[in-house]
């Protein structure tokens, strides 16, 4: 048997009422690797990412973090049961999430945002948490903004703080949900370069993105989603360079030209 | 014969009479509030010489408790100004004046809420300032503030219970009189409270529906 | 007429009784502080019911809000004062007396809980759902999210509206004199009964209330604006 993947997704399905958004998606993300997910809007890639973190409860299928089932577990009789929220919360700490809309908490300073979870969730002392928080802010090159409120920061800076906040829970993997989609073009680079550094440090990452050049440069694997299914997957040179699927080719032609 | 029948049903004559007085006072007060509020607002916005006086009146009406104003107008004004000459008049006057202070501010918000571009568009096609006010500013302001005006009416109805204290024979007065006759307050007070709550509920629901309608038809948010 | 005018602006009688009147004003403040506490606590509970996922809770919250928001405060004070002791007394099977102060606090507290519930609810619903999701993604539990992420923002958002409601509540405390809670209005009518000089005393009361409410409210509004602006710059 090969090495345990950091994240394993098995036959994941999700429907909102009659609408089936994910129709059975399976893939592995190995420790230290970067997986990019591309696809048109409505293809299900954001929902997939949110299901992995249980911000949406999957309709069926399994997610394993380091071999541990994420939202479900089997009871004594082998029945599959939804874990209580407290356990889901425990598991969520293993995954850092970065949102399209940053979602910084406006009533806390930059450092306050970063150390909130380490103190309240991990139970760290304030001193430890501040040390950790400053380290995380240094990784996104924002040490000097620690005492500011988020409203005073540019969009790119806010998104970097959001990355620091996710890093501060010391996750096993980072999930990025279109982290640059709500940024002006001139601000995307500072966020992408921080993400590039993280990838270089060996961080396990899943990135939903429309930045094809970034996906090609950083990813180990690229998944192309279409209508709730993985239409094509493989190394970036293949999926982005010479896609086998006609749909993938069509999708890419809109981005590369 | 149940208590409800004896204490409430058989007293419906007096209670309805009281309800009639309540409705009458509230409607007069509402008219006073709208007229007074509009006047104060226009003076404050467009007539600088009396601007300060208008502000003082608005703030005084808004910051003084209605009960205190009511008693003050009922007992002090007749000595001071020789008017109002009845408690009935004092009742609607106090209710109307307090609400006129609130409505003046509501109207102002409505007028200021009209986008500058709309006014400029009016001037650019050669409309006079008066015409712009009449045809462009006022209609929009009235639309946006109308839910708040309805809401102010509910305030009047709620405050109107206090005029019973100065012996105006409204619903509250009749209810308290019955309580003092029988010393059995449970049924009569519960029913009276119920009547007021239903009345206010109906008015405020109408206000909400009006606000919804405006939002749907004109895309206006209530001021 | 000018005689009456000078009489009503001659506040020396009012000043003479300043101690007992000031004690009355403090009663307004007590009633206000206690009923504001009740209103905030009950209002928050009702707001949480109204944003609950299951409909029976939402329904209870809605009934609470509609009932108390639409009730005139005077009749609620009278109802709690006269009816509630009888009902509770029947329930426990003996005569029950409720102090007028307590009746006043219960009545005003519940009436204003209806208004505060709506303000809380609007504040809660105005918070972007992403802020909650970000907290969930950090592994924060719902209670912690409510306490650390939602409420601090709600408080800031609802402040201007809440200040208005506090002002209304303080003004409403003047009616407790009608059930013999010895507030300023009550003391004023007592003094009038002995001095027989309603003009200066009622005028003095009106001016006192106006001054207290106007200046305190303006001050609080200024302070809260400054505090909010730090975050929503």
């Amino acid at each position: 048997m090969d090495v345990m993947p950091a994240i394993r997704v098995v036959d994941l399905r999700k429907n909102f009422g009659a609408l089936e958004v994910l129709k059975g998606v399976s893939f592995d993300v190995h420790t230290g690797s970067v997986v990019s997910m591309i696809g048109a809007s409505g293809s299900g890639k954001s929902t997939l990412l949110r299901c992995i973190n249980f911000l949406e409860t999957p309709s069926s299928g399994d997610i394993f973090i380091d071999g541990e089932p994420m939202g479900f577990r089997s009871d004594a009789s082998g029945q599959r049961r939804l874990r209580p929220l407290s356990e889901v919360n425990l598991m969520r700490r293993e995954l850092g999430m970065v949102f399209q809309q940053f979602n910084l908490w406006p009533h806390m300073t930059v450092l306050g945002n970063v150390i909130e979870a380490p103190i309240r969730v991990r139970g760290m002392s304030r001193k430890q948490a501040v040390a950790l928080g400053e380290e995380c802010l240094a990784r996104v090159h924002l040490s000097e903004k620690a005492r500011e409120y988020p409203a005073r920061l540019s969009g790119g800076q806010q998104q970097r703080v959001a990355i620091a906040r996710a890093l501060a829970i010391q996750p096993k993997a980072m999930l990025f949900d279109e982290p640059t989609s709500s940024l002006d073009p001139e601000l995307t680079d500072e966020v992408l370069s921080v993400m590039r550094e993280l990838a270089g440090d060996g961080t396990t990452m899943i990135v939903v993105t429309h930045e094809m050049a970034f996906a090609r440069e950083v990813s180990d694997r690229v998944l192309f989603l279409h209508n709730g299914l993985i239409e094509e997957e493989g190394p970036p040179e293949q999926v982005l360079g010479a896609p086998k699927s006609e749909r993938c080719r069509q999708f890419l032609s809109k981005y590369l030209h | 014969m149940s208590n409800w029948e004896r204490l409430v049903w058989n007293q419906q004559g007096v209670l309805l009479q009281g309800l009639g007085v309540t409705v009458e006072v509230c409607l007069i007060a509402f008219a006073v509030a709208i007229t007074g509020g509009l006047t104060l607002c226009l003076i404050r916005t467009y007539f600088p010489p009396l601007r300060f006086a208008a502000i003082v009146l608005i703030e005084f009406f808004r910051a003084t408790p209605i009960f205190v104003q009511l008693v003050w107008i009922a007992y002090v004004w007749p000595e001071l100004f020789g008017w109002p000459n009845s408690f009935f008049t004092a009742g609607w006057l106090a209710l109307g004046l307090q609400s006129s202070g609130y409505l003046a501010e509501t109207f102002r918000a409505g007028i200021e809420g009209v986008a500058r571009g709309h006014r400029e568009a009016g001037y650019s096609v050669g409309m006079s300032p008066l015409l712009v006010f009449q045809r462009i500013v006022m209609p929009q302001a009235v639309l946006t503030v109308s839910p708040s005006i309805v809401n102010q009416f509910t305030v009047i109805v709620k405050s109107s219970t206090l005029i019973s204290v100065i012996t105006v024979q409204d619903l509250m007065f009749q209810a308290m009189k019955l309580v003092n006759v029988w010393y059995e307050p449970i049924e009569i007070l519960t029913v009276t409270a119920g009547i007021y709550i239903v009345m206010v509920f109906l008015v405020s629901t109408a206000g909400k529906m009006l606000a919804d309608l405006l939002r749907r038809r004109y895309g206006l948010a209530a001021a | 007429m000018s005689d009456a005018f000078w009489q009503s602006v001659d506040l020396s009688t009012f000043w003479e009784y300043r101690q007992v009147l000031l004690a009355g004003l403090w009663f307004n403040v007590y009633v206000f502080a206690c009923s504001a506490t009740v209103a905030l606590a009950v209002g928050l509970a009702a707001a949480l019911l109204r944003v609950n996922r299951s409909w029976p809770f939402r329904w209870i919250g809605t009934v609470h809000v509609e009932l108390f928001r639409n009730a005139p405060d005077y009749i609620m004070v009278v109802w709690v004062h006269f009816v509630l002791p009888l009902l509770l007394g029947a329930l426990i099977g003996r005569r029950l007396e409720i102090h007028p102060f307590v009746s006043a606090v219960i009545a005003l507290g519940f009436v204003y809980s209806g208004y505060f519930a709506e303000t809380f609810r609007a504040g809660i619903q105005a918070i972007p759902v992403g802020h909650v999701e970000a907290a969930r993604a950090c592994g924060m539990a719902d209670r912690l999210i409510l306490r650390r992420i939602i409420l601090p923002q709600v408080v800031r958002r609802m402040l201007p509206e809440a200040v208005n409601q506090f002002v209304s509540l303080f003004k409403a405390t003047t009616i407790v004199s009608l059930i013999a809670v010895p507030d300023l209005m009550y003391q004023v009518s007592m003094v009038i009964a002995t001095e027989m000089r309603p003009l200066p005393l009622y005028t003095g009361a009106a001016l006192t209330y106006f001054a207290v409410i106007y200046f305190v409210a303006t001050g609080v509004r200024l302070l809260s604006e400054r505090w909010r602006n730090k975050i929503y710059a």
Side-chain angles (χ1 to χ4, degrees):
Chain A
M1 199 181 132
D2 56 357
V3 212
M4 181 93 69
I7 299 173
R8 165 164 281 177
V9 175
V10 182
D11 196 27
L12 195 72
R13 287 163 196 274
K14 173 71 184 175
N15 28 291
F16 294 105
L19 183 71
E20 207 177 11
V21 180
L22 295 175
K23 300 172 182 166
V25 175
S26 308
F27 62 94
D28 287 351
V29 181
H30 289 279
T31 306
S33 73
V34 177
V35 171
S36 291
M37 289 200 272
I38 59 172
S41 57
S43 60
K45 50 196 195 319
S46 280
T47 306
L48 175 53
L49 203 67
R50 292 164 60 83
C51 279
I52 294 175
N53 208 352
F54 262 69
L55 288 175
E56 308 283 358
T57 310
S59 305
S60 73
D62 286 298
I63 293 148
F64 300 92
I65 311 295
D66 271 350
E68 178 81 2
M70 169 79 186
F72 295 98
R73 66 169 171 203
S74 305
D75 64 9
S77 59
Q79 279 254 300
R80 223 168 71 110
R81 284 179 185 281
L82 202 61
R83 281 175 186 261
L85 196 64
S86 56
E87 282 183 36
V88 173
N89 274 332
L90 224 62
M91 298 288 296
R92 277 185 181 139
R93 298 181 206 171
E94 310 298 342
L95 300 169
M97 178 103 176
V98 177
F99 299 83
Q100 185 178 340
Q101 299 295 340
F102 331 139
N103 292 331
L104 294 183
W105 302 311
H107 59 297
M108 297 177 185
T109 61
V110 163
L111 186 64
N113 266 274
V114 178
I115 63 175
E116 178 69 14
I119 293 178
R120 307 273 162 183
V121 179
R122 294 253 153 170
M124 272 186 196
S125 73
R126 172 162 283 273
K127 217 173 124 189
Q128 272 178 307
V130 168
L132 171 66
E134 277 166 353
E135 187 190 311
C136 293
L137 282 175
R139 285 181 76 180
V140 300
H141 313 296
L142 279 174
S143 301
E144 76 284 359
K145 299 285 184 192
R147 311 283 156 194
E148 297 271 17
Y149 281 95
R152 308 276 301 257
L153 269 53
S154 74
Q157 290 170 331
Q158 290 195 34
Q159 190 60 298
R160 280 147 66 198
V161 174
I163 293 173
R165 179 174 69 184
L167 287 173
I169 60 175
Q170 298 172 309
K172 295 207 167 94
M174 293 278 284
L175 312 179
F176 291 86
D177 186 5
E178 303 196 23
T180 57
S181 292
S182 54
L183 291 175
D184 294 335
E186 70 269 23
L187 297 176
T188 55
D189 280 345
E190 61 183 77
V191 174
L192 292 180
S193 80
V194 163
M195 290 170 65
R196 215 171 272 131
E197 287 169 31
L198 290 181
D201 295 344
T203 313
T204 312
M205 291 163 52
I206 302 180
V207 186
V208 171
T209 186
H210 290 295
E211 300 285 336
M212 297 307 155
F214 174 78
R216 175 171 233 159
E217 173 195 347
V218 174
S219 320
D220 299 294
R221 291 177 73 74
V222 176
L223 311 183
F224 170 69
L225 264 80
H226 180 79
N227 275 344
L229 287 169
I230 296 179
E231 175 93 7
E232 178 150 359
E233 66 171 307
E237 306 77 45
Q238 178 210 315
V239 178
L240 300 171
K244 291 181 221 139
S245 133
E246 179 55 32
R247 289 202 190 95
C248 188
R249 213 167 316 162
Q250 274 175 6
F251 171 77
L252 287 172
S253 68
K254 284 180 204 145
Y255 277 90
L256 300 178
H257 304 293
Chain B
M1 192 165 67
S2 79
N3 268 358
W4 294 93
E5 198 180 339
R6 179 169 58 92
L7 295 167
V8 180
W9 188 248
N10 291 347
Q11 312 300 333
Q12 55 174 294
V14 245
L15 290 177
L16 284 177
Q17 210 182 344
L19 186 61
V21 174
T22 295
V23 171
E24 197 183 344
V25 168
C26 290
L27 288 178
I28 301 175
F30 192 42
V32 171
I34 291 180
T35 328
L38 200 55
T39 313
L40 283 171
C41 163
L42 291 179
I43 292 177
R44 176 175 186 169
T45 319
Y46 297 105
F47 194 60
L50 285 179
R51 184 155 179 261
F52 183 72
I55 293 177
V56 169
L57 282 180
I58 290 170
E59 293 300 337
F60 180 76
F61 292 144
R62 273 156 41 99
T64 320
I66 179 64
F67 176 47
V68 180
Q69 254 176 60
L70 183 69
V71 172
W72 188 58
I73 289 178
Y75 295 117
V76 179
W77 278 30
E79 305 275 332
L80 212 55
F81 309 119
W83 190 76
N85 46 16
S86 77
F87 286 137
F88 181 83
T89 310
W92 58 252
L93 185 63
L95 292 172
L97 286 182
Q98 165 145 75
S99 284
S100 73
Y102 281 99
L103 285 185
E105 291 299 89
T106 307
F107 286 129
R108 189 165 69 103
I111 289 173
E112 284 175 359
V114 176
R116 170 199 287 261
H118 290 200
R119 256 171 284 169
E120 287 174 348
Y123 294 130
S124 74
V125 295
M127 291 168 88
S128 69
L130 186 66
L131 203 57
V132 166
F133 183 78
Q134 254 178 27
R135 301 290 307 161
I136 303 197
V137 176
M138 219 38 207
Q140 288 194 58
V142 167
L143 282 178
T144 47
V145 303
S146 51
S148 313
I149 297 178
V150 176
N151 189 47
Q152 196 61 39
F153 186 60
T154 67
V155 174
I156 293 179
V157 175
K158 284 188 264 188
S159 307
S160 77
T161 50
L162 286 166
I163 61 176
S164 63
V165 177
I166 55 166
T167 70
V168 178
Q169 308 200 347
D170 71 336
L171 176 59
M172 186 72 191
F173 181 88
Q174 302 294 7
M176 290 305 281
K177 205 166 90 180
L178 291 173
V179 168
N180 287 325
V181 172
W182 303 92
Y183 295 107
E184 286 178 277
I186 298 183
E187 292 82 2
I188 182 72
L189 282 184
T190 306
V191 168
T192 308
I195 294 174
Y196 275 110
I197 291 171
V198 168
M199 237 180 346
V200 176
F201 175 77
L202 290 179
V203 175
S204 65
T205 305
K208 264 181 225 149
M209 285 164 65
L210 182 63
D212 278 351
L213 183 81
L214 293 176
R215 200 171 304 127
R216 268 205 314 273
R217 182 171 297 172
Y218 304 103
L220 296 170
Chain C
M1 182 202 138
S2 75
D3 190 38
F5 177 78
W6 288 117
Q7 218 189 59
S8 62
V9 294
D10 169 23
L11 295 177
S12 57
T13 321
F14 193 77
W15 182 246
E16 221 174 280
Y17 285 92
R18 61 188 178 278
Q19 268 172 345
V20 59
L21 295 177
L22 195 62
L25 189 59
W26 276 119
F27 253 97
N28 285 113
V29 176
Y30 292 150
V31 174
F32 167 76
C34 296
S35 42
T37 312
V38 173
L40 285 173
V42 178
L44 178 59
L48 291 177
L49 286 176
R50 285 205 75 178
V51 298
N52 199 286
R53 257 171 251 134
S54 57
W55 68 265
F57 287 109
R58 277 206 306 273
W59 192 80
I60 296 171
T62 307
V63 168
H64 177 99
V65 168
E66 291 301 343
L67 185 64
F68 289 106
R69 222 168 38 139
N70 292 320
D73 34 24
Y74 179 39
I75 193 151
M76 292 312 272
V77 168
V78 170
W79 193 88
V80 170
H81 183 60
F82 288 109
V83 178
L84 192 63
L86 295 179
L87 293 183
L88 291 180
L91 211 63
I92 58 171
R94 63 185 176 82
R95 240 177 85 83
L96 187 78
E97 296 243 356
I98 300 183
H99 195 277
F101 183 89
V102 179
S103 309
V105 167
I106 293 174
L108 292 179
F110 270 82
V111 166
Y112 280 82
S113 75
Y115 299 97
F116 278 114
E118 281 306 86
T119 315
F120 271 121
R121 185 178 67 114
I124 291 172
Q125 287 178 337
I127 293 177
V129 73
H131 289 186
V132 176
E133 290 189 339
R136 288 226 173 97
C138 288
M140 291 169 77
D142 279 358
R143 292 264 296 275
L144 191 62
I145 296 176
L146 180 68
R147 189 161 59 84
R148 296 285 305 171
I149 308 297
I150 298 181
L151 283 184
Q153 291 195 61
V154 169
V155 168
R156 287 172 173 86
R157 276 173 193 275
M158 66 184 259
L159 250 171
E161 185 61 28
V163 172
N164 290 340
Q165 278 158 7
F166 282 131
V167 169
S168 297
L169 175 55
F170 187 80
K171 291 198 288 183
T173 62
T174 51
I175 63 176
V176 302
S177 58
L178 296 170
I179 57 166
V181 176
D183 77 332
L184 175 56
M185 272 314 265
Y186 182 86
Q187 301 292 9
V188 162
S189 47
M190 288 295 120
V191 175
I192 289 173
T194 54
E195 291 278 338
M196 304 305 276
R197 298 189 63 199
L199 264 64
L201 283 159
Y202 279 135
T203 307
L207 290 177
T208 308
Y209 276 119
F210 169 71
V212 168
I213 292 168
Y214 181 75
F215 288 109
V216 172
T218 309
V220 171
R221 281 197 189 103
L222 268 176
L223 284 178
S224 68
E225 263 319 290
R226 217 179 276 172
W227 186 52
R228 273 164 51 88
N229 284 347
K230 228 166 70 177
I231 287 129
Y232 298 109

